[in-house]
Amino acid sequence: MKQWSREIEINTPIEHVWSYLDGSLEQMQKIMPQVVENKPVRITEEVVGSIYRQKYKEGKRIEEYDVHTLEYANNQKDKKMKIGFTLANIFEITALYELHRINDQKTKLKYTVTNKALKWFAKLFMLFATEKIVVKFLEDVKKVAESET
């Protein structure tokens, strides 16, 4: 299993950054344009345990998988959401988003991803996996969030 973790400061209020992660499909697509559908399958009151069926477009192919909410906290100063899903029965992936309110106009976003290969051949791909995707995601969130405030 591989894990990458990075953080970035974003010059926008915490609620604005949170809206991309815990909001509508339209908001989510601003930072994850490949997500073409995000439908609730099961919603729990405490959010943890909720499941969404997500469709993700990669080139011409569309992958479908269930996203499970594993951790959730929505407070004024700190917000957190951890999701997990299995991609194509090959990779088990978790994504943890942690937001911290630095001040009224500045937010720290920490993004941690784990990727576990479920098939022997996928372990070969993991040898070459880098944190580039994590860094790019954080830069994209910063760019979009700051351009909208």
Side-chain angles (χ1 to χ4, degrees):
M1 179 169 72
K2 290 234 182 172
Q3 178 174 309
W4 301 274
S5 190
R6 285 276 190 265
E7 55 186 54
I8 196 167
E9 283 188 10
I10 302 172
N11 296 308
T12 193
I14 191 169
E15 291 298 335
H16 185 75
V17 179
W18 187 240
S19 74
Y20 300 115
L21 303 169
D22 192 38
S24 67
L25 174 63
E26 184 179 76
Q27 279 295 93
M28 183 188 296
Q29 286 175 323
K30 290 177 182 177
I31 61 168
M32 298 180 234
Q34 307 91 332
V35 175
V36 294
E37 194 173 283
N38 191 47
K39 288 189 172 174
V41 173
R42 187 177 96 202
I43 303 297
T44 65
E45 255 183 68
E46 55 282 344
V47 184
V48 172
S50 294
I51 302 169
Y52 290 83
R53 177 129 327 120
Q54 208 169 77
K55 289 185 180 178
Y56 183 91
K57 189 171 186 175
E58 187 69 50
K60 291 182 180 178
R61 263 187 37 216
I62 294 180
E63 289 286 341
E64 184 176 282
Y65 45 85
D66 288 347
V67 177
H68 298 256
T69 305
L70 306 171
E71 292 179 36
Y72 186 87
N74 185 355
N75 304 306
Q76 213 171 357
K77 282 191 69 158
D78 296 288
K79 299 177 185 303
K80 178 198 246 185
M81 180 165 40
K82 183 176 185 179
I83 59 167
F85 58 95
T86 301
L87 186 60
N89 293 318
I90 298 174
F91 297 104
E92 197 173 89
I93 299 167
T94 66
L96 172 61
Y97 310 96
E98 296 172 282
L99 283 74
H100 176 73
R101 180 183 180 271
I102 296 170
N103 61 41
D104 286 351
Q105 294 301 316
K106 193 175 275 195
T107 303
K108 180 170 74 175
L109 170 60
K110 183 177 181 184
Y111 180 49
T112 304
V113 176
T114 64
N115 194 332
K116 179 182 173 188
L118 301 175
K119 308 275 189 205
W120 68 268
F121 60 86
K123 291 178 183 176
L124 298 173
F125 291 110
M126 295 300 291
L127 296 174
F128 304 102
T130 69
E131 65 207 9
K132 274 189 220 172
I133 293 169
V134 173
V135 171
K136 183 179 179 339
F137 176 77
L138 286 174
E139 289 170 353
D140 289 349
V141 172
K142 180 178 173 74
K143 182 179 166 188
V144 170
E146 289 179 355
S147 74
E148 290 194 337
T149 53

